[in-house]
Every structure is written in C-alpha cells, then in structure tokens.
C-alpha cells in the first residue's frame, strides 16, 4: 500500500488530501492491466462503478471515434460517470500496454472529500501537445523541416540597418559572412547592447554578432538541435547542408510548445541518470531552461510551476542515487522541501531548505545521527547538481529538521500549544511551508497533525504579529530605500522586502484555515473565500506578488545570461521611473493590508 500512497500523493488532485485520507484512498486500490488497443470505457455505456488513474502507459480519449485528448501517468478518467451516476460521455482506449489503479466512489470514506477537485478531460487538447508519441514524432523530424529562411546582412551593415532588415523580414536574427566565417546577430543582441549603452545605431552590426555561429546539420533530428541550444545557451542555430553551407535558421521557439519541450527533455535525462555525475550533467540543462522559457514569453508563475517539477525530479533522483550501504535507513523516510521551493515558487538563485522525517524504529540505537550523515550526502549530491543547501541552516542535517515521526509530530504540536517557546513561531511557519517529495503520507503527517491542533487566539495573534513584522519599504527617497524602522539604504532586497511579506500573509491564511496546500497566490485566494481577506485585498496581494516575482525572475535570468552572480539585492538607481512607481504602489498596498489585518483579524476570524 505504501507504493500507492507515495504515487497518489504526488498526483493532482490526490496531492491535496491529508495523510489519513490518502491512506484511506490507497486501501481502495484495485489494479488492472489493459493491452494496447483495448477499449477501457465505452461512451454511452452503463454508469461506471470505478474510475481509473493511469499508473503506466497512455490512453486516448475519443469523441465519436476522434481522438480529443491523451492521458498519461497520474491522470484520471471515468470520475465524472462515477461521481454523477451518468453514462460516460467519451470513450477511452489504451494507446499501449497500460496499468491502471481503479477506485470506487471514495467520498463516503474520506474526511475531506471536497479536496478532490478533478479536472475534466477531452477539452480539445491535441495529441501533439500532450502525447509522448506525438512529441517524439516531432522531435525526430530533421532540422531542415523546421528551419526558417536565412536573412543575410552585409558585412558593413550598421546596427540600425541590421535591426531594420530583421524587422522587415519578420525574423529574429540575421546571418553575417566575413573572414571565411558565418556569424549571427539576434534581436536579443540588439536589446542587450542598447540596454547596456555599449553601442549606438551607427556601430557595425558585426561588432555585436557571434562568430562563428553555432550550427547543426540539416539532417540532424530536432531533439538534438534543442539539446545543443540548451548546452551552448543559444536560441538560434544555423542549419547547414553540403559543404557546411547555411540553408536556414532554426529557432528554439519553432521546435515545440515551450510548456512541453524543456521539462520533458530534462526529465528524461534525469530519469535516465544512473549516477550522480550523470544526474549533475542532466541538471546543467536547468539554467538554459529558465532562460529559454522566459525568452519565449511563458508567464513567470507558470515558469515557477514547470521548473518546480524538474527540481522535484532532481531531488528524488538524487535521493535514489545517494549511497546508503553503511547507513541503516528505515524502510519509510520522508524528505521534505521547505520554503519557496515547497510552495512551488523557486527562482534560479533559490537554495534548497529541507527536512527529514523517518518512521519510528524500535530497538534502534541513535538512528538520528546516522540519518543526518546520510542526509548530508544527499545535500552534497544536490549541490553537485546545482541545488545549494540553505545557508541559514534549514537543512535535513540540522537536528531541528531531522526527526522521527513521533518526535516531529509532538514537537510541531507543542509549537501551537506553547508559542512562547524559543523559535516556535518561526519553526511552525516553516512546517506550514513544507512539502514532501518522498514518503508522502509520512511527511504530511507532520503538518497535518500540527494544523489539527486547536489554534487559539493567543497563538494566532502571536503568529500574525510575527507575520507582519517584516514590512515592505515605506518609500523611496531619491536613491535610498526608506524602511519603517527609519533605516535608509541604497540596496533594495526584493525577496526580503517584497515577496516575503506577501508569502507570510499567505502562510498565515494557511495556518488559520488549517489548509497549507498550494502556492502563495492559491492560499491568498483561499483566504478571500474564507473571509480573512476581502476580494480587493486578495487581488492586490496576488498582483503585487506576481509582479515582484516577475521582476526578480527577469533580473536573475539576466544574471544567468551574462554569467554574473545572482543577487536578490539591486541598486535603486538601476530602476527606471516606471518600475519604481509600480514597486512603490505595490509596497504601499501590501503595507495597508497588513495594517488592516492587524486591527480587524479577530472580527474577520469570527466570520469564517
């Protein structure tokens, strides 16, 4: 049953269930295998008694014989018929040998059945976007089938002339031939050089071009072309034919949907890694993926969600590959992420806050010390994969964050009952921001048990004071940041003064409602539904959070592109007038919500 719990706990909507409900659901599992081509559900047949979750393989969703969707591992079908008692409206057929978990209607057995918020399928989602086979078909096409015509620029063209040529042709780059080499100049080159004021429009375009341009054979598959781009940090490749002569240009945005392309390729490399060195090599694609997703216009919070899945995969594979031969690791352990990564809000410069929980082991001498040693190996290996441990000590090697299940539960509950003990508010907040990536039920039992304790007014008041202690800046005075304490400084820490105050309010909502699922914006919307926030306050906080996160992401992406150290701090003098105005308004709006909550939270709580 443990395998069922761990698998379901990592799939939506089952990941929203508390650990006890996840265990109850796992007890209902039936397993059935379907051969390729087997008809699993027939449209218009009798109402289904069980719904299905794909464990391995793929199924097609058919509407009158036409494929309208393809469902893969972790996705659910048949639930609408089971929950409504109606005939299934669409047919389901196995694409390949497929193993499914089957469930009867679980609502009567779950404590919180309302948390199973299923997503409908068959909503005109094309096979090419979702199906693994469709993706592979496209990925194996030769580069010549995906390339665009080359735009040639004279060797003596100016920056302005080259930019005009690119704009008129509707392309994003131009080729320049000189001294026996083919170079390339892209619209990104123009933006960077103009922003840095290193050239003007009359400067020669060859001065900002890359020589020689990265190239690939016209017969090479698209998947090889994309991997080459990620490895070299380029978004364009020159496609060459006989004699290495350029035939056209391949752009990264032409290869496939950005939402599918990067995570699939990196996940495949992660899953195939058989050693830490191979995993580290696969993880090197992560920085290029941040850059490419941002440059292709994917929304910042969507980038966060996509890359969170990749980070989770790296963490899980690291745990699997970390040597444990001389450490007696209990059969069930849970490695938990904490903080922004746990909320699925990572940035390129985020470190990994972690916690380790293990099942209680009888007659075992000092398992904590041995497990902390093993956790240290995991963190060392994660750092080899480019995911640094928390510099402030929130790591699974720290005794505060490495405990048996009974100890972790008892300690977390004590923080609620006695918030005056040392670090109780800090540590209970960190548990509310925890998310297990292995041992799902075990990991969730800690936060579930903590939030099940009655949170009296004294604790909630203390937690709110702790939450709003970090306030956004009071304003900007020339090139100084004016803080509420009266301090002035030239540097603006966007994370500490921008994201943290909003994320803390979301976490306070999570503790008050007893529901710590989801990201900051999800929690804030839940707070509005519960009456803890007004709709206007919720919208204000969500917009501010997404704006500041997007601004931080843009700056960190630029650091990756220019290979500069990533820093959360920026000089106020570097901000343009519009950005300063937006930030000032956002900070003031967040501070106003903090003040209103401080004076009105008791009345609002009574309405929940």
């Amino acid at each position: 049953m443990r395998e069922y719990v761990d698998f379901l706990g990592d799939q939506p909507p089952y990941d929203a269930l508390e650990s006890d409900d996840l265990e109850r659901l796992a007890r209902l599992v039936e397993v059935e295998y379907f051969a390729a081509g087997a008809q699993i559900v027939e449209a218009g047949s009798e109402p289904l008694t069980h719904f299905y979750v794909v464990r391995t393989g793929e199924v097609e969703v058919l509407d009158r014989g036409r494929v309208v969707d393809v469902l893969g591992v972790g996705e659910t079908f048949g639930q609408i018929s089971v929950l409504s008692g109606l005939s299934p409206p669409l047919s389901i057929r196995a694409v390949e040998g497929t193993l499914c978990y089957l469930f009867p209607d679980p609502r009567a057995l779950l404590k919180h059945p309302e948390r199973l918020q299923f997503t409908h399928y068959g909503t005109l989602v094309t096979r090419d976007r979702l199906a693994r086979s469709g993706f592979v078909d496209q990925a194996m096409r030769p580069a010549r089938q995906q390339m665009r015509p080359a735009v040639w620029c004279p060797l003596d063209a100016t920056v302005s002339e080259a930019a005009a040529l690119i704009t008129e042709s509707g392309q994003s780059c131009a080729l320049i031939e000189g001294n026996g080499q083919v170079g390339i100049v892209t619209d990104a080159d123009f933006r960077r050089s103009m922003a840095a004021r290193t050239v003007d429009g009359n400067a020669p375009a060859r001065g900002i071009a890359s020589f020689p341009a990265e190239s690939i054979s016209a017969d090479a598959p698209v998947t090889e072309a994309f991997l080459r781009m990620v490895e070299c940090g380029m978004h364009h490749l020159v496609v060459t034919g006989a004699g290495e002569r350029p035939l056209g240009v391949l752009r990264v945005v032409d290869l496939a949907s950005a939402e599918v392309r990067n995570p699939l390729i990196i996940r495949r490399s992660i899953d195939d890694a058989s050693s830490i060195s191979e995993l580290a090599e696969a993880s090197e694609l992560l920085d290029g993926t941040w850059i490419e997703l941002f440059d292709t216009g994917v929304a910042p919070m969507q980038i966060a969600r996509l890359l969170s899945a990749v980070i989770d995969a790296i963490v899980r594979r690291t745990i699997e590959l970390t040597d444990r031969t001389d450490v007696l690791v209990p059969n069930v352990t849970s490695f938990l992420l904490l903080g922004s990564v746990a909320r699925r809000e990572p940035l390129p410069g985020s470190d990994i806050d972690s916690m380790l929980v293990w099942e209680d082991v009888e007659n075992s001498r000092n398992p904590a010390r041995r497990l902390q040693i093993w956790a240290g190996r995991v963190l060392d290996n994660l750092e080899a994969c480019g995911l640094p441990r928390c510099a402030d000590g929130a790591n699974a090697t720290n005794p505060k964050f490495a405990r048996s299940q009974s100890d972790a539960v008892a300690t977390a509950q004590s923080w609620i009952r006695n918030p005056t003990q040392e670090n109780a508010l800090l540590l209970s907040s960190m548990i509310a921001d925890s998310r297990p990536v292995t041992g799902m039920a075990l990991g969730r039992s800690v936060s579930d048990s903590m939030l099940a304790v009655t949170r009296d007014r004294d604790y909630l008041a203390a937690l709110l004071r702790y939450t709003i202690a970090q306030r956004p800046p009071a304003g900007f005075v020339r090139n100084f940041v004016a803080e509420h304490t009266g301090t002035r400084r030239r540097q603006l820490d966007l994370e500490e003064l921008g994201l943290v105050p909003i994320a803390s309010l979301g976490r306070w909502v999570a503790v008050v409602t007893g529901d710590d699922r989801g990201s900051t914006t999800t929690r804030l919307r839940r707070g509005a539904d519960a009456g803890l926030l007004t709709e206007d306050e919720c919208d204000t906080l969500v917009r501010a959070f997404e704006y500041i996160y997007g601004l931080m992401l843009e700056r960190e992406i630029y650091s990756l592109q220019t290979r500069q150290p990533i820093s959360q701090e920026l000089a106020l003098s570097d901000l343009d007038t519009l950005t300063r105005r937006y930030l000032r308004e956002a900070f003031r709006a967040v501070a106003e919500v903090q003040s209103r909550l401080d004076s009105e939270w008791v009345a609002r709580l009574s309405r929940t």
Side-chain angles (χ1 to χ4, degrees):
M1 190 176 75
R2 184 60 53 189
E3 193 276 339
Y4 302 151
V5 170
D6 286 350
F7 175 74
L8 292 169
D10 198 34
Q11 316 296 333
Y14 315 104
D15 58 354
L17 294 177
E18 294 180 351
S19 56
D20 289 346
D21 272 352
L22 205 55
E23 296 271 6
R24 294 185 186 100
L25 187 65
R27 294 190 190 100
L28 302 176
V29 172
E30 300 175 29
V31 182
E32 190 168 350
Y33 177 81
F34 301 94
Q39 192 81 6
I40 304 174
V41 175
E42 187 73 43
S45 61
E46 291 297 315
L48 301 179
T49 59
H50 290 72
F51 62 88
Y52 304 73
V53 178
V54 179
R55 182 62 182 89
T56 63
E58 282 183 343
V59 300
E60 295 174 322
V61 181
L62 299 100
D63 182 6
R64 290 162 290 185
R66 182 174 64 91
V67 176
V68 295
D69 208 342
V70 175
L71 308 178
V73 173
E75 296 189 274
T76 300
F77 62 91
Q79 72 276 13
I80 294 174
S81 178
V82 172
L83 300 179
S84 68
L86 301 175
S87 297
L90 302 171
S91 297
I92 307 291
R93 181 174 64 201
V95 176
E96 56 190 60
T98 299
L99 189 72
C100 290
Y101 292 161
L102 281 66
F103 298 89
D105 186 345
R107 288 177 291 184
L109 300 176
L110 302 182
K111 183 179 178 181
H112 293 290
E114 73 280 357
R115 293 191 174 185
L116 288 180
Q117 299 292 322
F118 291 104
T119 299
H120 189 37
Y121 52 83
T123 52
L124 302 180
V125 182
T126 65
R127 177 184 175 88
D128 285 339
R129 183 170 72 83
L130 285 182
R132 181 168 63 251
S133 56
F135 174 77
V136 171
D137 289 344
Q138 177 159 328
M140 294 310 295
R141 292 177 183 172
R144 67 170 72 246
Q145 292 186 10
Q146 296 288 106
M147 69 182 186
R148 291 170 172 258
V151 176
W152 288 91
C153 187
L155 181 61
D156 60 352
T158 65
V159 167
S160 295
E161 290 169 343
L165 188 62
I166 289 175
T167 302
E168 291 168 4
S169 64
Q171 304 286 19
S172 60
C173 66
L175 304 184
I176 303 176
E177 188 168 15
N179 300 323
Q181 292 183 326
V182 174
I184 187 169
V185 59
T186 70
D187 51 7
D189 294 327
F190 294 125
R191 290 197 302 272
R192 280 194 294 269
S193 60
M194 292 297 188
R197 298 187 177 95
T198 55
V199 299
D200 60 30
N202 296 318
R206 64 178 180 272
I208 62 172
S210 298
F211 282 89
E214 291 286 338
S215 64
I216 193 164
S217 167
D219 296 321
V222 161
T223 183
E224 181 182 333
F226 176 69
L227 286 172
R228 175 84 61 80
M229 290 177 183
V230 173
E231 289 165 357
C232 68
M234 301 292 183
H235 298 170
H236 299 78
L237 290 177
V238 177
V239 179
T240 59
E244 299 295 315
R245 291 300 303 166
L247 300 178
V249 174
L250 192 63
R251 306 186 314 165
V252 71
V253 294
D254 296 328
L255 300 188
S257 162
E259 295 186 16
V260 173
R261 180 179 56 251
N262 297 37
L264 275 182
I265 291 178
I266 298 181
R267 283 296 299 271
R268 193 168 302 159
S269 300
I270 292 167
D271 294 342
D272 289 344
S274 58
S275 66
I276 292 298
S277 60
E278 289 183 5
L279 183 59
E281 184 177 350
S283 301
E284 289 177 359
L285 301 176
L286 196 56
D287 284 353
T289 301
W290 283 105
I291 294 170
E292 197 281 324
L293 289 175
F294 183 82
D295 280 357
T296 52
V298 179
M301 301 314 300
Q302 178 68 356
I303 293 176
R305 289 189 291 270
L306 291 170
L307 272 298
S308 289
V310 176
I311 292 171
D312 285 1
I314 294 172
V315 173
R316 290 193 191 95
R317 192 65 181 139
T318 299
I319 292 169
E320 292 168 358
L321 294 173
T322 296
D323 179 33
R324 61 178 70 191
T325 54
D326 61 338
V327 178
L328 294 176
V329 179
N331 289 331
V332 181
T333 59
S334 181
F335 193 92
L336 298 94
L337 299 175
L338 309 173
S340 62
V341 179
R343 298 191 305 268
R344 303 189 189 278
E345 297 160 358
L347 285 156
S350 295
D351 54 16
I352 300 296
D353 298 7
S354 61
M355 181 175 180
L356 186 67
V357 177
W358 56 88
E359 63 180 350
D360 293 296
V361 181
E362 295 182 2
N363 303 320
S364 179
R365 298 180 59 187
N366 195 22
R369 179 58 186 155
R370 297 197 304 273
L371 287 168
Q372 288 166 26
I373 292 172
W374 177 73
R377 295 175 187 169
V378 172
L379 297 180
D380 287 343
N381 290 334
L382 284 174
E383 290 191 323
C385 295
L387 299 177
R389 72 188 74 196
C390 176
D392 296 325
N395 298 304
T397 51
N398 184 333
K400 291 181 180 178
F401 302 101
R403 300 174 182 266
S404 68
Q405 181 181 20
S406 59
D407 183 26
V409 168
T411 303
Q413 290 178 336
S414 76
W415 294 329
I416 303 293
R417 296 190 176 104
N418 181 17
T420 60
Q421 61 183 302
E422 185 179 5
N423 293 325
L425 297 172
L426 168 64
L427 295 173
S428 61
S429 295
M430 296 183 76
I431 295 300
D433 268 352
S434 66
R435 179 171 60 84
V437 291
T438 65
M440 302 298 172
L442 175 62
R444 289 203 183 149
S445 67
V446 180
S447 59
D448 287 351
S449 299
M450 184 185 78
L451 294 176
V453 174
T454 301
R455 297 168 294 285
D456 61 27
R457 293 280 177 89
D458 289 341
Y459 172 79
L460 294 179
L463 182 63
L464 182 60
R465 288 194 298 271
Y466 176 79
T467 295
I468 63 177
Q470 181 63 70
R471 292 181 175 266
F476 303 143
V477 180
R478 296 185 177 86
N479 286 327
F480 288 90
V481 180
E483 299 186 22
H484 286 271
T485 59
T487 303
R488 291 188 181 185
R489 54 182 176 179
R490 292 183 181 273
Q491 297 294 113
L492 173 63
D493 188 325
L494 280 174
E495 181 174 33
E496 177 187 352
L497 300 178
L499 290 187
V500 168
I502 307 173
S504 297
L505 288 173
R507 185 170 53 244
W508 184 78
V509 166
V511 173
V512 173
T513 60
D515 188 349
D516 62 354
R517 297 170 297 151
S519 64
T520 294
T521 55
T522 299
R523 292 171 170 183
L524 293 172
R525 293 189 177 101
R526 193 178 297 129
D529 292 339
L532 296 171
L533 299 170
T534 68
E535 290 293 338
D536 285 345
E537 289 170 344
C538 175
D539 289 343
T540 294
L541 294 173
V542 168
R543 285 198 303 270
F545 187 87
E546 292 181 345
Y547 176 74
I548 295 170
Y549 178 91
L551 186 60
M552 290 186 65
L553 179 62
E554 181 179 11
R555 294 187 62 82
E556 294 197 14
I557 291 295
Y558 178 76
S559 295
L560 292 180
Q561 291 172 323
T562 57
R563 300 186 180 181
Q564 298 177 13
I566 290 176
S567 172
Q568 275 73 47
E569 291 195 340
L570 56 90
L572 202 59
S573 57
D574 291 342
L575 298 179
D576 59 61
T577 303
L578 189 60
T579 302
R580 287 167 67 120
R581 186 169 75 235
Y582 283 164
L583 279 175
R584 184 184 294 110
E585 291 174 356
F587 291 154
R588 287 176 178 171
V590 173
E592 287 174 4
V593 175
Q594 289 178 323
S595 297
R596 284 197 294 270
L597 269 180
D598 192 23
S599 61
E600 299 175 11
W601 74 273
V602 174
R604 297 186 186 195
L605 186 64
S606 65
R607 297 198 296 266
T608 61

